[in-house]
Amino acid sequence: MSAHLSTYRERAANPLDVMEQIVAANDWTFDRRSTAEMAAEAPGKWCDYGLYFSWSSEISAMHFTCAFDLKVPERRRAALFELLALANERLWIGHFGMDADDGMPVFRHAVLLRGAPGASAESLEDMIDIAITECERFFPAFQFVLWGGKTPADALAAAMLECVGEA
């Protein structure tokens, strides 16, 4: 068997084909830009989230970002970087970062699929669900730092309070 054929067999099927079906089933707006890129918009409790999927067949990996509809003023970026680091300590999957061009916070995750026949719909649904859940969970902390004048530690503590019962 040639090395080329062996390499071809180890590459996973394009997960964006499955992702397109998931996004369409949720009635989210999306744009399949190419076989390697797709963008979508998902509604959230606090804002709409921009989802971006990029597939690399060369390394059989999909990169995923979930961007907040939230601009960060230049003067608050240092505080937000500190908050992102604190938030990342609480995550099991993925991480928060900031888009360098517009200062928008983003949740990022990558999935390696080399040797797998493809990504399951369930694992891709979980990936999106985890990203949106984490963005929703930390959104108040971002707001507290950006517009409430709180320190990153105080903002995170205030946002992580879980209410019990009814008022």
Side-chain angles (χ1 to χ4, degrees), residues 1-131:
M1 177 177 353
S2 73
H4 177 70
L5 182 58
S6 174
T7 301
Y8 176 77
R9 285 188 177 162
E10 290 178 2
R11 290 190 181 153
N14 189 337
L16 295 185
D17 297 335
V18 178
M19 190 59 71
E20 185 174 341
Q21 294 173 1
I22 293 168
V23 169
N26 281 293
D27 290 325
W28 296 338
T29 303
F30 71 96
D31 178 21
R32 181 75 183 259
R33 298 173 178 174
S34 70
T35 59
E37 292 182 82
M38 186 172 84
E41 188 173 292
K45 179 174 141 184
W46 304 106
C47 69
D48 289 340
Y49 297 102
L51 309 178
Y52 177 76
F53 309 91
S54 178
W55 169 245
S56 171
S57 60
E58 291 80 27
I59 60 171
S60 295
M62 184 175 68
H63 185 258
F64 165 64
T65 61
C66 180
F68 292 77
D69 186 14
L70 183 67
K71 300 289 186 204
V72 179
E74 202 57 57
R75 62 181 169 70
R76 298 300 298 157
R77 289 188 184 184
L80 190 63
F81 275 124
E82 184 180 339
L83 176 60
L84 294 174
L86 293 171
N88 283 336
E89 292 176 358
R90 297 175 179 244
L91 299 177
W92 278 45
I93 296 174
H95 68 277
F96 285 108
M98 190 181 318
D99 186 275
D101 295 331
D102 57 17
M104 189 181 308
V106 295
F107 180 89
R108 293 186 173 110
H109 185 60
V111 178
L112 297 171
L113 296 170
R114 188 172 74 94
S120 71
E122 294 84 2
S123 67
L124 295 177
E125 287 172 340
D126 288 348
M127 183 182 72
I128 293 172
D129 184 49
I130 289 167

